[in-house]
Amino acid sequence: MNKEVRTRFAPSPTGGLHLGGVRTALYSYLYAKKHAGTFVLRVEDTDQTRYVEGAEKYILDCLDWCGISPDESPLKSGPYAPYRQSERKPMYKQYALQLIENGHAYYAFDTPEDLEKMRTDLKSEKNPSPQYDHSTRMQMKNSLTLSAEEVNDLLAKNTPFVVRIKMPSNETISFTDMIRGEINNDSNLVDDKVLLKGDGMPTYHLAVVVDDYLMKITHAFRGEEWLPSAPVHIKLWDYLGWKNDMPQWAHLPLILKPDGNGKLSKRDGDRLGFPVFAMNWFDPKTNETTIGFKEIGFLPEAFINLLAMLGWHSGEEKELFSKDELISIFSMERVHKGGAKFDYEKAKWFNHEWVKTISDDRCMMLVKPILQAKGIVIKDDAYLLKVIGAVKDRCTLLNDFYTQSVYFFETPTSFDTDAIKPKWNEDKTAFFNELMSQCAASTNWNAVELETIFKELATAKNIKMGELQMPFRIMLVGGKFGPGVFEIAEMIGKESTFERVKMVLGML
Ligand code: GLU
């Protein structure tokens, strides 16, 4: 019988959510949804030293913005609650004790000084950075080297200790990764990771295995930086007697800098001028805010679309996919093994395409607050909707709507008269004055009527259309951009058109 698919995203609340993290969540979500399964969000907050205030809420908000909604989470709860590891603390110790009892883990009482001494004393040409492992553990202070009485005595005296896994020696630890296929690890190269700390708090290694088991996770997606830890986890599944329930692993390739030279970091984003986090992240430690894709003007549709394509290909030429389409076509076979270079220009292309695709109504909902925040007073939603329809194709990011539409609401504060002046003459001034009086006499004010008057007058005065249309545009818009100039004139109205034309004529 096939098990119900249960995937999880298991972030640690340590800071802003990098786009690689969102991609892990997305693939995990798509896989679950494709197989009519459940997507779980588990907060891995056992490392109190790395805990950052506000990071958990921020991660949940980011997923919410992306439309990657967990079926079970600290907010939603579910059959395997709690979904925050710090709240599950009492559950882990018994497994650590079970491992000790079965000879797969041991107490270690070494002080930080002992560990330091080991690293310096055992350092050799052959072993430049000695670890706590099969080759060194018997020279350390632990329940493998001390007698049972000594161990009990130390425990009774509340001597600080940790529990370490006893990694096997001379073993090949193999598993099949959904992306990379069979992976073999030499157990001798893996150290005896700490599983439980003296205060009863598990480390990530123990907690991730216990929780994936208890939460019945069938497929575990995570970044490839976790590959070196995989042998530890495989052995824990084995030693705890859960081997048959072990999830299938998928270690996702890195997202690389645009030049392909290493992992994309927040610093690269700062340096190259693009966001790396999903949403604005305010770091309470530095009091600094890092800009996110949301705030720079990306649509969530575009963001998940571009993330889906970073490291996976659809097998089709088409590149624009909605979330529902992604769910139906997502497949692990087409996830790349190699890292994916992040290309910001391409990311913007996705957004531009999505801005053109979404309905004007939805666009208005998103753009209105952006314009209002810039001080634009919007009296009439129907008018805003028309403006959006007129400029939408010209906007790559949502924030572009401000520059692309401000002149529909306010008279420009500057005009590119330098572009007009060199070819300006009295005939053109006369043209615009006459245009205004003819329009004033007409009762109709619309783009078609205006264009007809404009053309006839230009022909009568024997001036080329192009030499008049460009100045007209600058008079209304301030610069050489925007949709059809007659359409703009119709929308801003006769009064505003005349006001702007007169203003610029005065400057010329
Ligand atoms: N808590 C780990 C992290 O934040 C997740 C690793 C995993 O998914 O197993 O990277």
Side-chain angles (χ1 to χ4, degrees):
M1 196 186 76
N2 274 344
K3 277 196 276 184
E4 182 213 345
V5 168
R6 290 178 56 83
T7 68
R8 50 59 165 188
F9 177 51
S12 297
T14 55
L17 191 55
H18 185 272
L19 53 104
V22 185
R23 190 193 56 176
T24 304
L26 176 66
Y27 285 14
S28 186
Y29 171 88
L30 294 176
Y31 191 86
K33 295 298 138 188
K34 164 135 195 176
H35 296 93
T38 303
F39 171 61
V40 178
L41 180 108
R42 182 177 68 229
V43 175
E44 303 207 321
D45 57 350
T46 56
D47 189 350
Q48 302 287 322
T49 58
R50 292 180 63 222
Y51 181 82
V52 175
E53 194 66 42
E56 176 187 317
K57 181 177 183 307
Y58 166 85
I59 292 168
L60 290 162
D61 288 347
C62 287
L63 294 187
D64 189 47
W65 174 64
C66 293
I68 309 174
S69 346
D71 301 301
E72 296 167 23
S73 76
L75 293 185
K76 243 186 136 186
S77 199
Y80 306 102
Y83 291 92
R84 210 176 267 125
Q85 286 182 331
S86 57
E87 290 169 20
R88 302 170 66 79
K89 185 178 163 190
M91 298 186 193
Y92 304 106
K93 194 171 177 181
Q94 53 177 310
Y95 299 106
L97 296 180
Q98 182 188 325
L99 288 165
I100 296 177
E101 204 148 299
N102 296 338
H104 298 305
Y106 57 91
Y107 292 106
F109 300 95
D110 315 270
T111 61
E113 293 75 38
D114 294 337
L115 295 173
E116 194 45 52
K117 191 167 177 310
M118 179 266 285
R119 283 185 208 113
T120 32
D121 288 0
L122 300 182
K123 196 168 163 171
S124 66
E125 211 166 291
K126 230 178 105 206
N127 192 1
S129 45
Q131 327 184 69
Y132 207 120
D133 62 13
H134 71 107
S135 69
T136 57
R137 64 168 82 104
M138 294 316 283
Q139 297 162 64
M140 304 302 289
K141 196 175 169 191
N142 55 48
S143 57
L144 303 173
T145 56
L146 301 169
S147 70
E149 283 102 69
E150 285 171 311
V151 170
N152 287 337
D153 195 41
L154 286 170
L155 291 176
K157 283 192 198 135
N158 285 328
T159 315
F161 71 87
V162 296
V163 175
R164 288 182 181 270
I165 185 171
K166 188 177 165 202
M167 285 301 285
S169 32
N170 307 321
E171 198 180 284
T172 302
I173 303 169
S174 309
F175 71 101
T176 307
D177 186 89
M178 287 164 86
I179 299 168
R180 290 147 207 278
E182 190 176 309
I183 297 188
N184 297 306
N185 288 282
D186 177 355
S187 71
N188 286 352
L189 302 178
V190 186
D191 60 326
D192 289 354
K193 291 266 185 274
V194 172
L195 302 179
L196 194 81
K197 288 171 275 183
D199 60 1
M201 197 56 119
T203 60
Y204 161 68
H205 302 292
L206 180 63
V208 73
V209 170
V210 168
D211 285 343
D212 281 347
Y213 171 73
L214 294 178
M215 293 182 178
K216 298 196 163 37
I217 299 303
T218 57
H219 299 79
F221 293 73
R222 59 185 181 186
E224 79 172 21
E225 65 274 20
W226 292 107
L227 262 179
S229 303
V232 178
H233 304 158
I234 309 285
K235 285 322 285 182
L236 285 175
W237 280 91
D238 186 9
Y239 292 157
L240 288 163
W242 301 334
K243 211 171 165 181
N244 295 334
D245 294 309
M246 189 168 80
Q248 276 187 265
W249 299 100
H251 289 91
L252 300 180
L254 294 176
I255 296 181
L256 304 174
K257 296 180 210 289
D259 61 9
N261 209 352
K263 186 179 167 184
L264 179 71
S265 70
K266 183 180 105 53
R267 244 185 300 129
D268 298 316
D270 295 344
R271 183 171 56 89
L272 300 165
F274 55 72
V276 162
F277 288 164
M279 280 168 48
N280 272 10
W281 164 247
F282 171 76
D283 189 332
K285 286 184 181 153
T286 58
N287 277 339
E288 271 174 32
T289 299
T290 308
I291 186 103
F293 278 90
K294 178 184 178 208
E295 288 78 4
I296 212 165
F298 272 79
L299 287 166
E301 289 92 332
F303 187 52
I304 61 168
N305 191 168
L306 74 93
L307 281 184
M309 311 303 275
L310 262 180
W312 168 82
H313 67 97
S314 65
E316 297 173 34
E317 225 165 88
K318 171 177 153 159
E319 289 183 278
L320 295 184
F321 297 102
S322 67
K323 190 174 82 179
D324 287 342
E325 288 173 307
L326 288 172
I327 290 172
S328 75
I329 61 168
F330 187 71
S331 91
M332 292 307 292
E333 292 81 60
R334 289 197 301 271
V335 175
H336 306 302
K337 289 190 186 67
K341 281 187 215 167
F342 179 68
D343 175 351
Y344 188 53
E345 291 311 311
K346 184 74 195 210
K348 286 197 292 189
W349 175 85
F350 273 106
N351 207 58
H352 190 194
E353 294 305 309
W354 272 103
V355 167
K356 288 190 276 183
T357 306
I358 60 168
S359 73
D360 289 359
D361 280 314
R362 180 158 140 67
C363 200
M364 178 167 82
M365 236 178 56
L366 297 165
V367 166
K368 195 173 171 181
I370 295 177
L371 300 183
Q372 283 170 328
K374 291 267 198 182
I376 291 186
V377 181
I378 295 159
K379 297 186 200 110
D380 178 4
D381 277 358
Y383 180 64
L384 175 58
L385 206 58
K386 255 176 108 173
V387 170
I388 283 179
V391 302
K392 215 173 160 193
D393 285 4
R394 295 160 199 282
C395 299
T396 301
L397 301 174
L398 290 177
N399 295 346
D400 295 341
F401 275 89
Y402 174 72
T403 34
Q404 289 294 337
S405 68
V406 56
Y407 59 87
F408 281 104
F409 302 93
E410 293 168 359
T411 305
T413 47
S414 71
F415 296 90
D416 183 10
T417 46
D418 288 350
I420 314 178
K421 274 179 184 160
K423 288 186 142 188
W424 195 254
N425 57 35
E426 282 307 307
D427 289 351
K428 289 180 184 172
T429 308
F431 170 90
F432 279 99
N433 281 325
E434 206 165 322
L435 178 73
M436 285 190 287
S437 52
Q438 284 197 20
C439 287
S442 156
T443 47
N444 276 339
W445 179 258
N446 60 56
V448 179
E449 174 89 4
L450 176 59
E451 188 171 357
T452 312
I453 300 176
F454 198 100
K455 275 188 178 154
E456 280 168 9
L457 197 58
T459 314
K461 292 209 169 282
N462 202 17
I463 313 176
K464 282 196 204 109
M465 271 296 272
E467 286 193 21
L468 296 165
Q469 238 170 300
M470 190 269 276
F472 192 34
R473 169 178 298 284
I474 290 175
M475 290 168 183
L476 303 190
V477 174
K480 281 191 248 172
F481 61 95
V485 68
F486 302 111
E487 195 189 346
I488 296 172
E490 176 186 322
M491 284 169 68
I492 63 173
K494 198 192 267 192
E495 207 179 300
S496 198
T497 301
F498 286 9
E499 181 198 321
R500 296 181 194 190
V501 171
K502 283 180 198 158
M503 223 166 130
V504 177
L505 285 181
M507 294 177 187
L508 289 165

